[in-house]
Amino acid sequence: MRAVVQTVGRASVTVDGTVVGEIADGLLVLLGVTHTDTPQVAATMARKLHELRILDDERSAADTGAPLLVVSQFTLYGDARKGRRPSWTAAAPADVAEPLVEAVVEQLRARGAKVETGRFRTHMLVESVNVGPRTLLLDL
């Protein structure tokens, strides 16, 4: 599992002209799933995301109550080392990835986090205003 985490002043996801997820002063999480990921990896990712000390004064979402916007992003497993066309073979297929993305969201909520999401298998418009900017890649 792989995540790009950004501190944001605000972020939103729009599908077909409707905002489906929106946060202010929190973390935007672009989340990719690969073939070997499991529910245990999802639980570990949720813990790391919630406790990641990337906010002001080295605090975490767990410390501050900052919300998270989690957006599925299979392209995090794109491989463009050969040629100009990325290969997506390392990305898990949607029927494998979707329940694991949902597991991360459920684990975050179980920890008390406020979580908004994108919508799986749709064309999403993701907008964000980065703070810092602070961006981190988590790779489990």
Side-chain angles (χ1 to χ4, degrees):
M1 196 165 279
R2 188 173 283 167
V4 172
V5 184
Q6 297 178 312
T7 55
V8 294
R10 65 180 181 275
S12 65
V13 177
T14 302
V15 175
D16 294 329
T18 301
V19 174
V20 297
E22 184 174 35
I23 64 166
D25 299 320
L27 299 177
L28 172 61
V29 178
L30 305 176
L31 185 63
V33 178
T34 193
H35 302 279
T36 57
D37 289 335
T38 64
Q40 293 76 21
V41 172
T44 299
M45 179 61 81
R47 180 184 55 77
K48 284 188 169 279
L49 291 169
H50 198 222
E51 296 177 1
L52 185 63
R53 301 175 72 120
I54 193 173
L55 298 170
D56 289 343
D57 300 320
E58 296 185 6
R59 296 176 65 191
S60 67
D63 297 330
T64 65
L68 297 94
L69 175 58
V70 177
V71 180
S72 174
Q73 187 78 35
F74 78 92
T75 60
L76 291 178
Y77 279 100
D79 183 354
R81 289 178 288 183
K82 295 181 183 177
R84 296 172 295 159
R85 183 179 307 167
S87 167
W88 310 113
T89 58
D95 61 329
V96 172
E98 187 172 14
L100 291 171
V101 170
E102 289 174 1
V104 170
V105 170
E106 290 170 13
Q107 289 284 327
L108 283 165
R109 288 180 175 149
R111 297 176 62 83
K114 179 184 183 299
V115 182
E116 295 283 324
T117 65
R119 189 167 294 155
F120 213 89
R121 298 182 196 195
T122 63
H123 180 74
M124 296 179 279
L125 298 176
V126 180
E127 294 183 272
S128 67
V129 175
N130 295 352
V131 173
R134 290 180 228 138
T135 302
L136 185 68
L137 173 65
L138 292 178
D139 203 359
L140 301 184

